[in-house]
Amino acid sequence: MTLINENFIKIPATYLFSEIAKRVAQLQQQQPDARLIRMGIGDVSLPLPDASVDAMIKAAEEQRHSSSFRGYGPEQGYDFLRKAICENDYHARGIKMETDEVFVSDGSKSDTGNIGDIFSADNKVAITDPSYPVYVDTNAMAGRAGEPGETGAWTNIVYLPCNEANQFVPQLPTEAVDLIYLCYPNNPTGTTLTRDQLKKWVEYAQEHKSIILFDAAYEAFITEENVPHSIYEIEGAREVAIEFRSFSKTAGFTGTRCAYTIVPRNLMAFTRNGDAIALNRLWNRRHTTKFNGTSYVVQRAAEATYSPEGKQQVKALIAYYMENARLIREGLQRAGYTVYGGINAPYVWAKAPTGMTSWAYFDYLLNEKQLVTTPGAGFGASGEGFVRFSAFGSREATLEAMKRME
Ligand SMILES: *Cc1c(COP(=O)(O)O)cnc(C)c1O
């Protein structure tokens, strides 16, 4: 008899997106003429930068000829891409980075989910609330989350509430934790940590020998000076943090798939006996054993985002979405709503009118304004009373949506 990993059946089914789809379908049945605007999506809408498409065409052509054909590449990524990442994303900001600290992959969802492989199931995990659901669910699969409680909160996870009371800046845990998930700029709240605020987390991790798993998927959307683009801008972070970056939101690679993870060489965690082990070595072992590399064609597309034309085109994509974010933020404010985010991230976190739950506000926006958003409660208990507006739609749809709100 084959036994299953029973952690999987402890995880409650995620009703969020199926429930949204159900309610949208209901509305479409009741009001067949409703012109729905979808502002719930976390997917981009603009096509790839030309520089990336051109690079892919060129790379595909290389794959046609035996003289230039490439089979398996290095699992960690080609040197041309790892070098471009080091130079453009780190050296250009005054951060030291070596190519063997960069692990290219097919996405940050996989990386933030897989990273747990190299850590003991006995580690105590802290996760901001609300959060990207991958952090909680993958820890549950690994048996690190304990049991799902009555309210949906896992017994063994330390939730770090991010709410209006703390202005979405999580407080340091009062108990010792080992692994800390931070995502800044944040999905879903669109808020950030300043350099000083992030520094407190680095100091906490140094003091407790914890590891920070820093998801910087929205780094490219930062507009304010005092918001760090990388956790390695903070002194000492190389000894306590792993950073995840993705081309998905930055350059429209959600369907093309390319990301990378930074594991500094001098980042250590411990055996039960207290021996320090380099996590770079462990992640290299994990990555080369379970992953066979991102496709050559796609790595060329990612490399092209760092060319002069590529940079210009990526900048234009980001500017387009951030103008949407501004329109949403200011439109909702004019309509009398309290909103957060939208300044350094393509998400606006809108507070429901007093006494309304996330789902009630969602229903109101759907039925009265024909706008599809994402209920905040779907991202964790502290998301209750909010909905997330995404700025990834078209300008036209964004303008129309705000006209309806005002
Ligand atoms: C979109 C997103 C990612 C990127 O995922 P990919 O697998 O690289 O497409 C990572 N983290 C967060 C929080 C995201 O919202």
Side-chain angles (χ1 to χ4, degrees), residues 21-311:
K22 201 176 96 190
R23 294 187 192 204
V24 168
Q26 235 163 32
L27 175 90
Q28 282 171 321
Q29 213 170 35
Q30 290 160 358
Q31 304 181 33
D33 298 332
R35 282 169 40 246
L36 277 179
I37 300 180
R38 296 180 188 273
M39 307 188 81
I41 44 159
D43 198 355
V44 298
S45 59
L46 293 174
L48 285 177
D50 280 335
S52 293
V53 176
D54 293 342
M56 283 199 282
I57 291 170
K58 185 165 167 260
E61 200 52 48
E62 285 172 41
Q63 293 293 70
R64 190 201 295 279
H65 308 287
S66 51
S67 58
S68 51
F69 168 77
R70 308 224 192 184
Y72 287 125
E75 293 96 334
Q76 304 91 335
Y78 282 101
D79 247 9
F80 63 76
L81 180 56
R82 297 169 96 192
K83 273 200 185 111
I85 289 167
C86 286
E87 283 165 17
N88 293 281
D89 289 341
Y90 295 100
H91 301 172
R93 292 192 182 279
I95 301 165
K96 266 195 279 181
M97 194 61 69
E98 306 279 346
T99 50
D100 64 2
E101 297 175 309
V102 180
F103 295 87
V104 175
S105 76
D106 64 351
S108 283
K109 185 190 233 185
S110 340
D111 288 347
T112 53
N114 290 330
I115 197 73
D117 276 14
I118 63 171
F119 296 107
S120 162
D122 296 334
N123 283 312
K124 193 80 169 176
V125 178
I127 302 177
T128 51
D129 168 29
S131 80
Y132 183 52
V134 176
Y135 314 147
V136 172
D137 290 354
T138 56
N139 275 291
M141 288 172 183
R144 223 176 270 123
E147 303 297 322
E150 288 284 298
T151 59
W154 292 85
T155 52
N156 212 25
I157 286 187
V158 175
Y159 292 91
L160 307 166
C162 298
N163 49 38
E164 276 189 303
N166 58 25
Q167 285 294 293
F168 304 94
V169 177
Q171 266 173 11
L172 296 174
T174 47
E175 58 189 298
V177 298
D178 308 303
L179 289 168
I180 303 161
Y181 288 79
L182 297 179
C183 170
Y184 289 98
N186 188 254
N187 177 12
T189 66
T191 59
T192 54
L193 292 186
T194 62
R195 221 164 256 115
D196 288 343
Q197 289 162 345
L198 186 56
K199 186 162 173 267
K200 293 203 174 75
W201 285 93
V202 170
E203 286 165 0
Y204 174 94
Q206 286 171 326
E207 188 185 334
H208 294 86
K209 295 189 160 58
S210 336
I211 302 282
I212 298 172
L213 302 170
F214 192 75
D215 186 343
Y218 296 94
E219 164 278 329
F221 296 83
I222 293 170
T223 61
E224 292 182 315
E225 269 302 310
N226 60 346
V227 178
H229 287 252
S230 164
I231 193 167
Y232 305 118
E233 288 178 37
I234 313 295
E235 202 189 318
R238 286 179 61 87
E239 285 84 51
V240 295
I242 289 174
E243 180 162 285
F244 304 93
R245 294 259 192 123
S246 172
F247 295 91
S248 283
K249 314 299 164 38
T250 309
F253 275 54
T254 51
T256 304
R257 314 301 306 141
C258 196
Y260 64 88
T261 290
I262 301 290
V263 188
R265 271 194 225 148
N266 48 343
L267 177 64
M268 302 287 171
F270 301 88
T271 65
R272 247 171 245 289
N273 298 331
D275 297 329
I277 305 289
L279 290 178
N280 183 287
R281 196 180 102 200
L282 297 196
W283 185 245
N284 189 56
R285 186 63 205 232
R286 191 267 167 216
H287 199 67
T288 54
T289 301
K290 292 198 186 179
F291 185 65
N292 239 345
T294 305
S295 91
Y296 169 67
V297 174
V298 168
Q299 290 190 62
R300 283 295 187 198
E303 180 195 27
T305 64
Y306 297 113
S307 68
E309 317 80 67
K311 279 182 185 166

